[in-house]
Amino acid sequence: MINIEKKEFGMYKEEKIYKYELKGENGFQVNVLNLGGIITEIFVKNKEGKVKNVVLGYDNIEKYIDNKAYPGSVIGRTAGRTANASFYIDGTEYRLDKNSGKNSIHGGNQGFHTKIFDVKELENGIELSYTSPDGEEGYPGNLEFKIFYLLDKNRLTLKYEAISDKKTYVNPTNHSYFNLAGNTERNGDEQMLKIEADNVCELDVDSVPTGRFINVENTAFDLRKGSVIKKGIEKGHPQFEITRAYDHPFVLNSVEKGKPQITLFSEYSGIEMKVYTIENTVVIYTGNYLDDMPLFAGENDGNKNNRYLGVAVETQDFPNGINEKNFKTDPLNAGEKYHSKTVYEFNIAR
């Protein structure tokens, strides 16, 4: 049982936006807006027992509107870039909104990050729901979409469910930026990142996966034993000429039950986040252009964010999977239930 408080946060399109404060044990708290399912804060105790916010966010609604960093948002119907803003299902071409050059990114101009969700309070969290109409942003089918934010001791579980009345393409994620130092007291690239992945997806010049894989051995992408993010960026890779730093789908290895695929750690705070997912990839985006975004709340100096201030850990199926045979991504059949689950576990590393 958790405590839930609902507070007015602002106005958007003449509707009131609310923040839902999900309060768990030992100071653990997750705050979520009904706009875009945005996670505005995650509060965790550091090694000194002080409660710190470990995600990047804002204290007013205006900075979330039209924010191209998508901080904390639900991304949908599909995450990442879709090549040429189109795909085929059973011989029919579906054209999406172009909002990343010739491509579509993160569900289009009016993706799930812009939607006002219906909210249902549960014993252990909240359920957010939205019905995306047939043809919205070019996607086929009336899609009934739900995301659950569930708290259990030191764990936040994100569960996604969807069902469509037409065969369609669905691949959502969450776009929170983590900085486990807390309150942005240190830069995000000082964190240690470990990923159980032998391969990453190669990207073309538009940052769209090509369908080919890069083996991580002896490269900046080899995070299997853990590495400070800054060291990997400094080591460099030809792919970084496209992306500036990490912005790649890591192909997750199979792991033993109960073991995380991804671990993020701040030596400064002692906070460790273990991530467990049923998805095939995690897109790691190290906030390569956050210095161009509105100033986040926290301990920032001046009027500009630091580059690499936080790292997005976007668990999902292969981006652009619908267009790449090598990714073996199937559309969602009409009447079939889509399901995805990711767990974020917070601890003090000993």
Side-chain angles (χ1 to χ4, degrees):
M1 187 73 179
I2 66 169
N3 183 42
I4 301 175
E5 292 188 23
K6 176 183 175 182
K7 297 179 179 178
E8 190 171 332
F9 190 70
M11 297 289 292
Y12 177 67
K13 294 185 176 179
E14 300 182 350
E15 288 195 48
K16 288 184 179 179
I17 301 302
Y18 294 96
K19 178 189 284 189
Y20 291 79
E21 298 181 350
L22 314 181
K23 299 180 179 182
E25 302 176 10
N26 198 32
F28 184 40
Q29 180 175 326
V30 179
N31 296 343
V32 181
L33 302 183
N34 62 330
L35 172 63
I38 293 170
I39 296 175
T40 57
E41 295 100 1
I42 297 178
F43 293 106
V44 182
K45 282 187 178 179
N46 67 8
K47 61 185 177 183
E48 298 173 347
K50 296 179 180 178
V51 175
K52 299 289 184 178
N53 174 34
V54 296
V55 293
L56 305 186
Y58 301 106
D59 54 13
N60 66 76
I61 195 168
E62 287 77 17
K63 288 185 177 180
Y64 284 109
I65 307 304
D66 297 324
N67 190 313
K68 300 306 181 185
Y70 304 90
S73 297
V74 174
I75 302 297
R77 295 186 187 187
T78 62
R81 293 171 178 82
T82 303
N84 299 311
S86 67
F87 58 86
Y88 286 85
I89 294 179
D90 295 339
T92 299
E93 183 181 21
Y94 295 95
R95 294 180 178 272
L96 311 178
D97 278 355
K98 295 179 180 179
N99 61 334
S100 179
K102 64 182 180 181
N103 305 306
S104 178
I105 189 172
H106 290 342
N109 288 305
Q110 299 295 316
F112 288 175
H113 62 286
T114 70
K115 304 304 180 185
I116 299 175
F117 286 77
D118 293 327
V119 181
K120 179 180 178 182
E121 296 187 15
L122 309 171
E123 283 192 0
N124 59 340
I126 55 175
E127 169 193 311
L128 275 65
S129 60
Y130 170 72
T131 299
S132 177
D134 183 24
E136 184 173 55
E137 295 296 311
Y139 291 91
N142 295 295
L143 184 81
E144 296 178 15
F145 178 81
K146 293 181 180 180
I147 180 169
F148 299 80
Y149 297 79
L150 308 173
L151 270 62
D152 178 22
K153 295 182 180 178
N154 61 338
R155 290 183 161 211
L156 167 64
T157 297
L158 267 57
K159 288 173 57 179
Y160 305 82
E161 295 179 358
I163 191 167
S164 173
D165 59 2
K166 290 183 182 178
K167 190 181 283 191
T168 193
Y169 180 36
V170 182
N171 186 23
T173 193
N174 175 269
H175 212 286
S176 292
Y177 292 90
F178 293 93
N179 184 325
L180 300 184
N183 295 359
T184 66
E185 291 174 14
R186 289 291 187 275
N187 208 40
D189 60 358
E190 296 181 24
Q191 299 174 101
M192 175 84 71
L193 180 60
K194 180 180 179 184
I195 305 177
E196 300 289 347
D198 296 335
N199 295 283
V200 296
C201 295
E202 179 190 70
L203 305 181
D204 68 15
V205 293
D206 294 320
S207 292
V208 177
T210 65
R212 295 186 291 270
F213 301 107
I214 299 171
N215 189 282
V216 303
E217 189 75 29
N218 296 321
T219 76
F221 293 111
D222 192 351
L223 303 177
R224 292 172 293 186
K225 294 183 179 179
S227 177
V228 175
I229 292 170
K230 186 176 182 179
K231 290 183 177 179
I233 295 173
E234 290 175 347
K235 183 173 183 177
H237 191 279
Q239 285 275 294
F240 291 174
E241 295 176 13
I242 301 168
T243 57
R244 183 174 278 178
Y246 296 100
D247 190 11
H248 289 75
F250 285 72
V251 185
L252 296 171
N253 298 340
S254 296
V255 296
E256 293 179 29
K257 188 175 181 180
K259 287 193 173 184
Q261 293 101 326
I262 307 132
T263 303
L264 189 66
F265 171 67
S266 169
E267 187 175 11
Y268 175 76
S269 68
I271 298 171
E272 177 184 70
M273 180 178 76
K274 296 180 178 179
V275 183
Y276 309 79
T277 186
I278 65 172
E279 288 294 355
N280 289 317
T281 80
V282 59
V283 174
I284 296 296
Y285 173 54
T286 44
N288 309 337
Y289 294 90
L290 290 181
D291 45 336
D292 295 330
M293 297 297 119
L295 189 67
F296 289 105
E299 304 296 326
N300 296 327
D301 295 325
N303 58 3
K304 190 175 184 179
N305 296 314
N306 290 331
R307 189 175 294 176
Y308 315 130
L309 185 62
V311 56
V313 181
E314 307 166 52
T315 56
Q316 59 192 267
D317 203 354
F318 290 96
N320 198 41
I322 194 74
N323 289 320
E324 288 296 342
K325 292 181 180 179
N326 283 352
F327 293 160
K328 301 177 181 178
T329 299
D330 295 322
L332 181 71
N333 291 316
E336 179 184 359
K337 192 171 185 179
Y338 171 88
H339 173 72
S340 182
K341 179 180 177 182
T342 296
V343 178
Y344 305 88
E345 179 184 282
F346 299 91
N347 301 286
I348 298 299
R350 303 297 180 185

